[in-house]
């Protein structure tokens, strides 16, 4: 029988968190299994060590995608508990003066580093939003877990795009490091970044769509027009949602294949995948295509950029083909 917390979490996952309906029962199941394994009440917030202990045990009899799904479920449950605790008490206002002081320091730090005015406005807006979210804490007392809770709030409650979450994270990291003078290692930063984007509802063969596109066009991921030219050969686990689906081929795979091909052909010059673009433009120019056509094909906004290729073309640099040549 489910506890009150797990029953509420089950409803939350199915509605507020917008997890795919067929995966929602597993989220509750994995959370329940974790607390049973640790013999802890479901109202208790687990430590990172406790969760890792369960996941290590869990991995012995489960597939990798199930372990990642369980990890996502536990992180979502952490956030769920934090919102319950926050809503149960009124946020104090005595910390407002300290947060105002942090805002002033942040503005000064941004200007000292000659950041643009647009960046300054954006960072200060995110700082105010974070301060309102975490108002029960003093600025000096915040930690990485608070940042992760805020980003979870953006993903789950406000359902913002991944790019917006990254924007908020950049603002918080700047304040954390350069204003509060707190240490933030790469491992901690990666832990904050490993958020689930729980507003996605793709089926197993859907293609991942970036940011708000998936919310605007919910069925586009299943349509041919949205599939990449270079789709991955196999399905993989989406690290944000733990949903099994097809992604595009990783750029590193193409770069590795290109490097191997260049080596096999005995080419000693430095070359990369981007070299193909330069070669494409140069060969067009040498074969008599005009600069305006090449500009259009390359997507250059300025013709002067396209004209750079006239310096590397070895023949017919005027880009003119005589009708008599036909």
């Amino acid at each position: 029988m489910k506890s009150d917390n797990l029953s509420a979490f089950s409803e939350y996952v199915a509605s507020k968190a917008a997890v795919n309906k067929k995966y929602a029962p597993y989220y509750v199941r994995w959370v329940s299994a974790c607390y049973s394994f640790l013999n802890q009440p479901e109202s208790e917030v687990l430590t990172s060590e406790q969760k890792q202990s369960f996941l290590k045990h869990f991995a012995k009899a489960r597939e990798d995608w199930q372990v990642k799904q369980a990890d996502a479920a536990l992180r979502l449950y952490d956030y769920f508990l934090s919102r319950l605790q926050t809503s149960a008490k009124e946020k104090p206002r005595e910390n407002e003066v300290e947060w105002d002081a942090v805002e002033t320091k942040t503005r000064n730090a941004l200007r000292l580093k000659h950041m643009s005015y647009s960046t300054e406005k954006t960072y200060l807006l995110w700082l105010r939003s974070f301060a309102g979210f975490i108002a029960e804490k003093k600025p000096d007392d915040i930690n990485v877990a608070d940042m992760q809770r805020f980003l979870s709030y953006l993903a789950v409650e406000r359902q913002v795009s991944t790019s917006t979450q990254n924007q908020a994270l950049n603002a918080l990291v700047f304040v954390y490091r350069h204003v509060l003078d707190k240490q933030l290692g790469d491992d901690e930063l990666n832990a904050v970044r490993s958020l689930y984007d729980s507003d996605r509802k793709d089926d197993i063969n859907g293609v991942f769509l970036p940011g708000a596109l998936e919310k605007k066009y919910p069925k586009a991921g299943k349509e041919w027009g949205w599939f990449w030219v270079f789709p991955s050969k196999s399905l993989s686990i989406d690290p944000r949602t733990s949903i099994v689906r097809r992604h595009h081929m990783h750029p590193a795979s193409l770069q590795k294949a290109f490097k191997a091909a260049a080596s096999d052909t005995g080419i000693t010059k430095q070359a990369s995948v981007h070299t193909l673009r330069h070669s494409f433009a140069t060969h067009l120019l040498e074969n008599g295509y005009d600069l305006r056509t090449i500009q259009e094909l390359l997507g250059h906004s300025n013709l002067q950029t396209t004209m750079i290729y006239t310096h590397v073309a070895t023949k017919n640099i005027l880009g003119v083909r005589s009708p008599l040549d036909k």
Side-chain angles (χ1 to χ4, degrees), residues 54 116 146 148 197 219 251:
F54 165 72
S116 69
D146 296 322
Q148 189 164 14
D197 195 359
K219 296 183 179 180

Side-chain angles (χ1 to χ4, degrees), residues 157-318:
E157 303 284 348
R158 291 176 51 181
Q159 297 191 0
V160 304
S161 67
T162 303
S163 60
T164 303
Q165 292 178 54
N166 286 334
Q167 185 186 73
L169 176 59
N170 290 336
L172 296 183
V173 169
F174 181 88
V175 174
Y176 200 80
R177 286 175 170 170
H178 302 291
V179 178
L180 300 179
D181 198 26
K182 290 176 175 284
Q183 297 297 319
L184 183 64
D186 291 339
D187 290 341
E188 289 180 309
L189 185 57
N190 288 334
V192 176
R193 289 187 186 279
S194 64
L195 295 170
Y196 38 82
D197 195 359
S198 58
D199 61 336
R200 305 192 184 278
K201 293 185 177 181
D202 302 72
D203 290 331
I204 190 168
N205 290 321
V207 175
F208 170 79
L209 294 177
L213 280 177
E214 194 163 28
K215 287 187 285 186
K216 188 173 183 180
Y217 307 108
K219 296 183 179 180
K222 304 170 189 175
E223 298 174 359
W224 168 251
W226 288 94
F227 276 73
W228 278 278
V229 177
F230 298 107
S232 174
K233 291 182 179 180
S234 58
L235 301 177
S236 58
I237 307 295
D238 189 321
R240 298 183 182 90
T241 64
S242 295
I243 294 175
V244 181
R245 59 182 171 188
R246 193 178 308 281
H247 290 70
H248 63 284
M249 183 185 297
H250 197 279
S253 300
L254 188 58
Q255 292 163 356
K256 184 178 180 180
F258 182 87
K259 184 176 181 180
S263 177
D264 291 343
T265 56
I267 296 176
T268 57
K269 291 183 178 180
Q270 185 69 29
S272 66
V273 174
H274 195 68
T275 307
L276 297 175
R277 177 178 170 87
H278 294 295
S279 300
F280 173 74
T282 303
H283 290 317
L284 285 178
L285 189 60
E286 290 179 342
N287 281 280
Y289 287 87
D290 63 279
L291 284 171
R292 288 292 183 185
T293 298
I294 299 174
Q295 177 191 9
E296 185 71 21
L297 290 171
L298 295 181
H300 291 158
S301 58
N302 193 326
L303 184 61
Q304 297 296 321
T305 305
T306 313
M307 289 182 67
I308 293 174
Y309 294 102
T310 63
H311 299 294
V312 296
T314 58
K315 59 183 179 180
N316 198 25
I317 61 172
L318 294 178

Side-chain angles (χ1 to χ4, degrees), residues 38-214:
L38 297 171
N39 195 26
Q40 294 288 331
E42 285 86 358
S43 58
E44 188 77 19
V45 177
L46 301 178
T47 66
S48 177
E49 290 75 15
Q50 286 176 314
K51 286 184 285 187
Q52 288 304 314
S53 173
F54 165 72
L55 291 173
K56 185 176 180 180
H57 165 77
F58 189 75
K60 294 178 181 178
R62 300 287 180 176
E63 299 289 338
D64 287 345
W65 69 268
Q66 291 177 307
V67 177
K68 291 182 179 180
Q69 189 181 69
D71 184 31
L74 290 173
R75 283 186 278 118
L76 182 58
Y77 191 68
D78 273 355
Y79 172 73
F80 170 75
L81 288 179
S82 72
R83 299 308 291 159
L84 283 181
Q85 294 170 358
T86 301
S87 61
K89 57 183 179 181
E90 184 178 352
K91 293 184 178 180
R93 302 179 62 85
E94 64 267 17
N95 298 329
E96 288 185 1
V97 174
E98 293 186 39
W99 280 108
D100 288 342
V102 169
E103 182 176 331
T104 300
K105 291 180 181 178
T106 301
R107 182 182 292 106
N108 293 337
L110 288 165
R111 293 179 179 179
L112 186 63
K113 292 183 176 295
H114 305 290
M115 306 290 272
S116 69
Y117 182 60
S118 175
T119 299
E120 178 182 320
K121 289 196 301 181
T122 300
Y123 276 29
L124 292 179
L125 281 173
W126 283 121
L127 174 59
R128 294 184 196 117
S129 182
F130 177 67
F133 177 82
I134 202 73
E136 74 273 9
K137 278 195 170 185
K138 295 180 181 293
D140 288 337
D141 294 335
I142 67 170
N143 52 39
V144 173
D146 296 322
M147 294 167 61
Q148 189 164 14
R149 282 203 297 126
F150 178 65
L151 294 175
S152 296
Y153 157 74
L154 294 181
V156 177
E157 303 284 348
R158 291 176 51 181
Q159 297 191 0
V160 304
S161 67
T162 303
S163 60
T164 303
Q165 292 178 54
N166 286 334
Q167 185 186 73
L169 176 59
N170 290 336
L172 296 183
V173 169
F174 181 88
V175 174
Y176 200 80
R177 286 175 170 170
H178 302 291
V179 178
L180 300 179
D181 198 26
K182 290 176 175 284
Q183 297 297 319
L184 183 64
D186 291 339
D187 290 341
E188 289 180 309
L189 185 57
N190 288 334
V192 176
R193 289 187 186 279
S194 64
L195 295 170
Y196 38 82
D197 195 359
S198 58
D199 61 336
R200 305 192 184 278
K201 293 185 177 181
D202 302 72
D203 290 331
I204 190 168
N205 290 321
V207 175
F208 170 79
L209 294 177
L213 280 177
E214 194 163 28

